[in-house]
Amino acid sequence: MADTRTYTLNNGMKMPVVGLGCWKLSADVAATQVYEAIKLGYRLFDGALCYGNEKEIGVGIKQAINEGLVKREDLFIVSKLWCNFHHPDHVKLALQRTLNDLGLDYVDLYYIHFPLPIKYVPLEEKYPPEMYTGEEDRRNNIVSEQQVPILDTYRAMEKLVDEGLVKSLGLSNFQACLIQDLLRGARIKPVALQVELHPYLSQERLVTYAQSKDIQVVAYSTFGPLSFLELGNSAAKDVTPLLEHEIVLNIAKKHDVTPSQVILRWATQRGIAVIPKSSKKERLLNNLNSDKALTLSDSEMSDIFSLNKNLRFLDPWDWARLPGFF
């Protein structure tokens, strides 16, 4: 693995502290950006079936391996089970599509993307499926649920570990009560919890809970509103961009680092892994090196914690339109 710090997961695997998030990574540039990121030293790539770019990510990985830049075992490849495929009959089907697209025999970490099972739709009908549950539902502007308990889904994923198709399992966008319930019946303990986490949503209680269970927390959208402005998120428009906030700027100036490095270090100093995305080489390097660029004082950590508003920019209930829920 590259000369980057890692966290040891509860199954003994090593996860890089900083990885490259592949959400919103355009398919027409994904292969090149993944390849270039590997050249820069990135080893963790966080993807998902619903991002619609796993085939291109696989091309970038294959190029780097073929050129001898890395071996497969040097990389930590992540994907996620999308909501349409929670039924045990469909879990392996979804993973097989991911593996075929990536051109890999296994992924290192496989998350349940959301604790939100919705109606199964074949991949050949719509890919990526997003929140699609059939033409009739689309015409009525609704999403149909699927009555599948989370534990049933997770147990089907445990079989993927038994088969060697997945090295470890994780949960994404789960709250503590759901994690606690799942742990009561899980045979293979989840190694990671990925959640939206940034100074406007510091998630202190959830982080404390996950860490108490030896589950590694991974933060997405670490820069807060920046990830959601282009999606037209109204809440993102109503707050000061974190990279422009006076508190963050002052700390960055004091340490002679970038504002993004300050925010990422605030997370990693809490023992949290991060997966920022950038298309700029300089920013990619700055993000990758943020874990070593500075150490925040207790007062600086407190100043950043003071920005917390419990402001969540990605809430599935805002866009799921489940019949009878509202």
Side-chain angles (χ1 to χ4, degrees), residues 31-142:
T32 299
Q33 291 197 15
V34 167
Y35 170 75
E36 292 297 332
I38 291 174
K39 286 175 65 176
L40 290 174
Y42 279 84
R43 296 295 179 263
L44 187 157
F45 294 89
D46 183 274
L49 182 147
C50 81
Y51 297 167
N53 56 13
E54 290 191 311
K55 184 173 290 187
E56 292 75 16
I57 290 168
V59 171
I61 291 171
K62 182 178 181 180
Q63 182 181 355
I65 292 175
N66 287 346
E67 292 183 9
L69 298 178
V70 289
K71 298 177 182 178
R72 169 63 185 93
E73 55 266 30
D74 297 328
L75 300 174
F76 195 99
I77 307 302
V78 179
S79 189
K80 305 178 187 74
L81 178 75
W82 186 240
C83 305
N84 301 83
F85 306 100
H86 276 218
H87 192 282
D89 291 345
H90 304 138
V91 169
K92 186 174 180 179
L93 181 153
L95 174 67
Q96 198 60 61
R97 172 61 187 257
T98 283
L99 292 177
N100 289 343
D101 282 354
L102 290 171
L104 300 176
D105 296 326
Y106 67 91
V107 293
D108 297 274
L109 174 56
Y110 199 44
Y111 289 104
I112 296 178
H113 205 147
F114 284 96
L116 180 66
I118 61 175
K119 181 180 175 182
Y120 169 68
V121 174
L123 283 163
E124 55 268 25
E125 182 174 337
K126 190 176 189 308
Y127 175 80
E130 299 172 316
M131 294 303 293
Y132 177 83
T133 55
E135 280 301 307
E136 183 176 353
D137 285 356
R138 184 189 61 80
R139 287 192 295 269
N140 292 323
N141 197 35
I142 62 172

